[in-house]
């Protein structure tokens, strides 16, 4: 019970922090959505040029809905908050005080970031999803919805662990903005945020579907839109869970090594 | 800015670059990681186009190599812009007070901001884009003549967008102390400029020509080389670029009056 | 004919700050509160060429803001500022060539390469000619005993060494005026002394004007004049000696007492400090002539005693207390 209190306090602080920058946050969301629009415009043109009714098994409606949903999901599942907060803490030196607090640093960072992302979830993702689902006449079943939610949660854990490892690189490399932004783009690409994984050439999509990134964008969107069947989705979810466990353990071990270095960095 | 001041500013820019690189390359591990992710960054833009042309006949009026030419033009421009300006890093410099030590140097404020480190890895993207550009030009059998106009437009576009972003970075700092919106905007612009403007419809094309002028950075220069661009369009594009550059530069200097750094 | 290096008249500067609310309903508290902080209010003073002035004040008193305005980094809301005849904000570039600034919290040096590399960078930034550069460098490396240190990576240097290197970097271009903003935070005593000597040396040889901002009292000994800022206003502007003797009607008496001493020292003054067998009390100057007091000093159980001036730290504490009471 005591722990819960502590964590909710951390989350509220993160919540407040997010809203302090609400204008900045709001506009960054706007541009993320606009980026989805770019893909949609391109595909509209592609379909018109090709004149086919479907490409790679995907009809235009499904494809457009895919891009909106994929980008909306990615706002929550591909979030570099963990890494950028860590970069901030390490650069400012706050990390040395954070490490000695009663709450373990990884936990602190995780819940703080969760709070930040929660705001995006509530204010953008959920309303957005509802709109898309209504407009695109997507049929949702309890099965697909629950699979979707589980996939999102697992994906969030995966990216938190990954960005945590990336964030800790700031101890060695000081300025990791470049790495963070490339990680964002790479993850989005590999996750199917730019092109649905199913459109990649056979050998490529097979590999991509084995990576942890698939769960962050493609699988949840595809599950919801019926591009992949529930049974296939369960398979991907399971693979994702395995990844989540591996990465969280890796992050914990890595952190143990890194935290020993922290006090020796800086003046 | 007199021509002497401009020369001094350019000299200072290159002096700063020399020492940033010297400082950066001290640690080989860091340099290796950097090289790796620069490479990934560079390959990015081409994956989408290649997949699209793999599964369909692509975008009407544009062959694969023409698209490749367009995408590399956009990558070249935005690689350069990212090299010079990193919204998050500049925001941090301002917030923490690191920018103060730079502002006491005998150079213009814009020069100082533009000379501050950007994303060092983007230089690889820019260079890689240049290579792909040459390759696609070769495959398309393009002669050298139209490239003069192309390079001129490219230069004008890069300067315009850089100044515009510089102003936006400071505006975002003054108003909300944050930089995520500008960062995302930069990514968005980079993405959107990789495709021909007509894809976005009449409205989209107008916006990207007159308001957020990414057109002048990739589409119009590419069109100039690949087909042709009307004299009127060219005139409008140039006029808008000059206008936006001027407004941005003046706006930046005005906004700096409201600059405050961390701590009192 | 007086040459003023700095002329500041009625300068004010305020900032909006972003704070989180602490009261109100839950949702009310989620939105940030924009409040206004007045960092400087109608500040006026003049500094002659070649003066060394210490700008004192607690954190948040506006010292750093003032220095940044004088450097052209910040734009004042109102008032006029002239540094070496230039308006810092408008003619920042021209002023910058004649100005040296050491911002204690931010280094000018590149982190991973040697200080020598950073000096070479400065040479390029200020277009210093080779001969003058090597002469000055050689001289100041000696004065500040930076000898071999300047060839090492900056990140491996101690804070004191870094500060000294930062100082060198800021004076290589022969500035006529130098601002030192909290330069000695976290720095060891020998380095502080070295800085003091370098400042006095520079003033003596080149007539350089110095403004030193600090909240550390020991730093002030290199300055003849002290300007004290409190909540954005100047509350004292005079010589250091004047400040030191401000509460000169008070003296501090230290008594070393035998264990179990029954001496009632409290009736003569306020107890300031007690550690082990030593007590320090604050007495009025007139008390020193008081017969009863003198008899107490000669009491058997008073093993030793010492009379001293209160000291600058004490003076400032009392000063601030007086200021706070007024508000």
């Amino acid at each position: 019970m005591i722990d819960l209190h502590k964590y909710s306090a951390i989350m509220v602080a993160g919540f407040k922090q997010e809203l302090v920058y609400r204008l900045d946050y709001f506009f960054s969301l706007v541009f993320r959505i606009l980026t989805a629009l770019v893909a949609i415009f391109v595909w509209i043109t592609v379909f018109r040029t090709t004149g086919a009714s479907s490409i790679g098994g995907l009809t235009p409606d499904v494809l457009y809905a895919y891009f909106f949903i994929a980008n909306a999901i990615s706002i929550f599942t591909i979030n570099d908050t963990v890494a950028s907060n860590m970069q901030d803490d390490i650069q400012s030196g706050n990390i040395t005080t954070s490490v000695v607090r009663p709450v373990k640093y990884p936990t602190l960072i995780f819940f703080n970031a969760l709070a930040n992302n929660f705001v995006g979830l509530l204010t953008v993702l959920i309303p957005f999803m509802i709109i898309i689902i209504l407009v695109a006449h997507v049929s949702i079943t309890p099965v697909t919805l629950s699979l979707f939610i589980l996939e999102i949660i697992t994906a969030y854990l995966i990216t938190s662990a990954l960005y945590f490892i990336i964030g800790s690189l700031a101890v060695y490399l000081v300025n990791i903005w470049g790495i963070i932004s490339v990680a964002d783009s790479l993850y989005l690409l590999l996750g199917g945020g730019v092109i649905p994984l199913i459109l990649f050439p056979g050998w490529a999509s097979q590999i991509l579907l084995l990576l942890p990134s698939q769960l962050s964008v493609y699988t949840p969107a595809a599950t919801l839109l019926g591009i992949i069947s529930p049974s296939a989705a369960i398979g991907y979810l399971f693979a994702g869970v395995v990844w989540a466990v591996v990465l969280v353990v890796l992050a914990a071990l890595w952190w143990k090594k890194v935290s020993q270095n922290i006090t020796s960095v800086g003046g | 800015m007199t021509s002497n001041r401009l020369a001094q500013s350019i000299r200072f820019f290159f002096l700063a670059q020399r020492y940033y690189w010297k400082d950066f390359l001290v640690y080989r591990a860091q340099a290796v990681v950097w090289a790796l992710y620069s490479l990934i960054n560079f390959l990015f833009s081409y994956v989408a186009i290649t997949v699209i042309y793999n599964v369909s006949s692509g975008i009407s009026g544009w062959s694969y190599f023409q698209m490749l030419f367009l995408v590399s033009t956009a990558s070249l421009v935005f690689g350069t812009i990212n090299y010079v300006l990193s919204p998050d890093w500049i925001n941090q410099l301002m917030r923490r007070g690191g920018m103060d030590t730079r502002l006491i140097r005998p150079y213009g404020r814009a020069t100082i901001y533009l000379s501050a480190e950007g994303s060092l890895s983007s230089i690889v993207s820019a260079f890689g884009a240049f290579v792909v550009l040459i390759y696609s030009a070769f495959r398309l059998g393009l002669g050298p003549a139209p490239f003069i106009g192309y390079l001129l437009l490219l230069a004008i576009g890069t300067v315009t967008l850089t100044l515009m972003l510089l102003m936006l970075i400071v505006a975002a700092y003054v108003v909300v102390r944050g930089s995520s919106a500008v960062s995302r905007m930069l990514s968005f612009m980079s993405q959107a400029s990789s495709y021909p403007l007509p894809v976005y419809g009449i409205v989209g094309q107008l916006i990207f020509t007159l308001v957020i002028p990414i057109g002048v950075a990739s589409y119009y220069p590419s069109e100039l080389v690949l087909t042709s661009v009307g004299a009127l369009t060219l005139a409008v594009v140039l006029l808008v670029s000059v206008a936006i550059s001027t407004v941005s530069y003046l706006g930046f200097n005005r906004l700096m009056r409201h600059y405050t750094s961390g701590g009192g | 004919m007086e040459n003023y290096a700095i002329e500041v008249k009625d300068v004010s500067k305020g900032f909006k700050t972003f704070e989180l609310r602490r009261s109100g309903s839950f949702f009310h508290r989620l939105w940030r509160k924009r409040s206004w902080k007045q960092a400087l209010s109608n500040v006026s003073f003049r500094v002659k060429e070649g003066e060394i002035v210490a700008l004192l004040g607690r954190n948040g008193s506006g010292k750093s803001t003032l220095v940044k305005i004088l450097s052209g980094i910040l734009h004042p809301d109102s008032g006029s500022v002239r540094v070496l005849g230039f308006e810092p904000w408008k003619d920042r570039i021209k002023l910058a060539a004649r100005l040296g600034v050491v911002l204690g919290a931010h280094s000018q040096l590149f982190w991973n390469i040697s200080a020598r590399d950073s000096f070479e960078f400065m040479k390029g930034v200020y277009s210093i000619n080779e001969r003058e550069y090597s002469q000055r460098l050689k001289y100041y490396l000696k004065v500040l005993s930076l000898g071999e240190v300047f060839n090492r990576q900056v990140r491996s240097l101690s804070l004191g060494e870094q500060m000294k290197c930062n100082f060198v970097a800021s004076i290589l271009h022969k500035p006529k005026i130098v601002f030192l903003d909290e330069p000695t935070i976290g720095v060891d005593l020998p380095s502080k002394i070295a800085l003091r000597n370098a400042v006095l040396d520079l003033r003596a040889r080149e007539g350089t004007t110095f403004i030193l901002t600090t909240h550390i009292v020991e730093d002030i000994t290199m300055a003849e004049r002290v300007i004290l800022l409190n909540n954005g206003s100047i509350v004292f502007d005079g010589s250091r000696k004047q400040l030191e003797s401000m509460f000169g009607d008070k003296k501090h008496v230290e008594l070393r007492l035998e264990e179990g001493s029954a001496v009632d020292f409290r009736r003569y003054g306020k107890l300031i400090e007690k550690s082990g067998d030593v007590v320090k009390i604050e007495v009025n100057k007139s008390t020193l002539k008081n017969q009863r007091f003198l008899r107490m000093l000669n009491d058997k159980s008073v093993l030793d005693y010492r009379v001293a001036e209160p000291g600058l730290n004490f003076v400032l504490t009392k000063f601030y207390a007086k200021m706070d009471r007024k508000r």
Side-chain angles (χ1 to χ4, degrees), chain A residues 25 217 259:
Chain A
Y25 187 69
V217 181
S259 56

Side-chain angles (χ1 to χ4, degrees), chain B residues 150-163:
Chain B
Y150 169 83
L151 286 172
L152 209 67
L153 269 184
L154 222 61
I156 293 171
T158 309
V159 168
T160 306
L161 290 173
T162 304
L163 288 174

Side-chain angles (χ1 to χ4, degrees), chain B residues 5 8 11-12 15-16 19-20 22-24 26-27 30 96-98 100-101 103-109 112 174-177 253 256-257 259-264, chain C residues 13 15-16 18 32 34 62-65 68 71-75 89 92-93 96-97 101 103 106-108 110-113 117 120-122 124-127 153 155:
Chain B
R5 262 261 302 260
Q8 290 290 348
R11 185 186 64 83
F12 174 68
L15 176 71
Y19 280 86
Y20 289 140
K22 200 170 182 183
D23 185 72
F24 177 75
V26 166
Y27 289 104
Q30 181 176 258
R96 295 259 162 72
D100 291 343
T101 47
L103 285 169
I104 53 162
R105 293 178 184 157
Y107 299 93
R109 290 185 183 92
I112 288 171
V174 165
V175 177
V176 295
R177 269 296 192 283
N253 278 301
M256 282 302 287
R257 291 193 180 197
Y259 166 71
T260 68
S261 48
Chain C
K13 177 76 180 169
F15 307 113
K16 65 171 186 249
F18 302 76
R32 68 172 195 262
R34 272 182 167 143
K63 331 184 278 297
S64 292
T65 307
K68 288 178 195 171
S71 312
I73 297 172
L74 296 179
H75 182 251
W89 180 262
R92 189 185 49 88
I93 299 176
V101 180
L103 295 174
H106 303 286
S107 176
Q108 281 224 67
F110 288 93
W111 199 231
N112 297 316
I113 50 184
D117 282 317
E120 300 266 336
F121 175 66
M122 290 302 165
V125 170
Y126 291 98
S127 303
Q153 220 185 21
R155 75 192 299 172

Side-chain angles (χ1 to χ4, degrees), chain A residues 13-26:
Chain A
F15 208 67
K16 281 186 182 183
Q17 197 182 15
E18 195 52 51
L19 288 168
V20 166
Y21 294 112
R22 70 187 188 283
L23 252 181
D24 184 51
Y25 187 69
F26 173 70

Side-chain angles (χ1 to χ4, degrees), chain A residues 177-237:
Chain A
W177 287 120
I179 301 183
I180 293 177
S181 82
V182 172
D184 284 346
S185 322
L186 184 66
Y187 210 78
L188 191 67
L189 176 71
L190 297 178
V194 179
I195 307 265
L197 298 186
I198 204 173
L199 291 182
F200 279 90
W203 56 272
S205 66
Q206 294 223 343
I207 297 175
L208 291 173
L209 285 168
L210 288 172
L211 296 176
S213 44
Q214 46 92 357
L215 205 59
S216 294
V217 181
Y218 176 71
T219 307
T223 307
L224 214 57
L225 291 170
I227 298 174
I228 56 180
S229 67
S231 43
I234 292 175
Y236 293 127
L237 177 62

Side-chain angles (χ1 to χ4, degrees), chain C residues 109-118 146-158 161 165:
Chain C
L109 313 168
F110 288 93
W111 199 231
N112 297 316
I113 50 184
S114 68
R116 155 185 260 146
D117 282 317
S118 291
L146 284 171
E148 280 319 296
V149 156
F150 89 119
N151 275 315
R152 282 172 31 206
Q153 220 185 21
V154 167
R155 75 192 299 172
S156 68
L157 302 179
S158 71
E161 288 163 341
C165 287

